[in-house]
Amino acid sequence: MADNFFVGGKEYFPGIGKIKYEGAKSDNPLAFKYYDPDKEVGGKKMKDHLRFAVAYWHSFCADGSDPFGSATFHHPWNAGAKTPMDAAQNKMDAAFEFFTKLGVEFYCFHDRDIAPEGESPSESEKNLFTLVAKAKKLQEATGVKLLWGTANLFSHPRFMNGAATNPEFGVTALAAAQLKAAIDATIELDGRGYTFWGGREGYMSLLNTDLKREKEHLARFLTMARDYARKQGFKGVFYIEPKPMEPTKHQYDYDAETVIGFLRCHGLDKDFRLNIEANHAELAGHDFVHELETAAAAGLFGSVDANRGDPRNGWDTDQFPMSFHETAMAMYVILKAGGFTTGGLNFDAKIRRNSVDPSDLFLAHIGGMDAFAVGLEVADRIISDGKIPAFVKQRYSSFDTGDGAKFAKGELTLEQLAKIGTDAGYEKNGKNGKAGVSSGKQEYLENLLNQYMLGL
Ligand code: XLS
Ligand code: NI
Ligand code: NI
């Protein structure tokens, strides 16, 4: 990977060089304290475990505006640009400078993040492919790769009633034009994945909504995307990113379990996996790690949008991940599931509106990368020490042999099972018996986790 790569002599983050690992005692804010890319953990380099990606939209497009105030970030790549296309070109130079200085190997984008919408669908496509050609050159020059691409089918006013689930056919067809181009762009850039986040695929009121029809249309749209991409030679994975609400009140991709059911119902579970976002899990009333484990248990874990919410705010605050407990549990589940293959940790996270120094974007990513590096090391300790996984295995061991194993394999009827329960169980384990009365040891296991946290 290139070091300190910037294009044509124009540097957008002057004064910041390649971010290096300096160790936990370093007092240099612009250095990694824990993320040491080439360090081996459990037989694999940290960077290959974690596969960090930068999200183009939050990092280079967002301007800090919110419903209560205007832009606070005045990006140098926009200043002085004569046209939106010039700004897009500059922005891409700045993005690749950032990726290489930070040392991440992947990025993710929406079509409209890298190129502005034109006056017509064909002009939009032309804009997109101009920037795709540039991205291809920059990828080759730097070694940075595309983790996944996607289409923004939620920002334009035409999508206010949805894209695939819009009640007007014309809008769905326009969305398809954008989808097709975004798939082509992803293939051209050798993207490892293509993501669907159904921003407005949901509804606000049942008074104006045919829910059954909308869900069928969504499945149809995804099936067409899959068929087209495979025909074009796309070898990557499709992801659905669950989110329960925001911007719509009820989104069809509510949470992992909902999406798993939907994919299986429509025969999409061979090509699609889940992209789990921490903050979305929280909005659905779940722990991040619950969503990861649910996807993994279904064999459909794919990728992660790494961020965090605020426990007292009920919206998608998209903050950078910082909690070692959360990253440790997440990495434990991910390692147990076999680690990332096509996916990675995409920082779908944004700096706060008042974080206006150019270095703040670096500091945020450094913190998130360090948090996951610690999480990885703790997860590796959990696995290599083995006490926690052994406890869980032991807890279910009565289903490993004898009648328990027969039950698990489906070799018992309910009558037989009931007989075993009454014959063998009731005498000993009835009213005053001991069956089921064994400690779950939660506190012991939590204490172990804390020990692993400090490397003991
Ligand atoms: C929004 C989503 C979005 C997707 C990509 O809440 O997280 O950023 O990741 O469309
Ligand atoms: Ni996301
Ligand atoms: Ni989000």
Side-chain angles (χ1 to χ4, degrees), residues 57-58 148 197 241 275 277 280 305 307 316 318 346 348:
W57 51 103
H58 284 311
W148 49 258
W197 167 62
E241 186 178 317
N275 180 37
E277 179 164 323
H280 297 181
D305 269 11
N307 60 15
D316 205 9
D318 286 342
N346 168 46
D348 191 355

Side-chain angles (χ1 to χ4, degrees), residues 157-173:
R158 76 170 70 93
F159 297 127
M160 67 183 173
N161 294 308
T165 63
N166 199 290
E168 275 178 61
F169 172 65
V171 177
T172 302

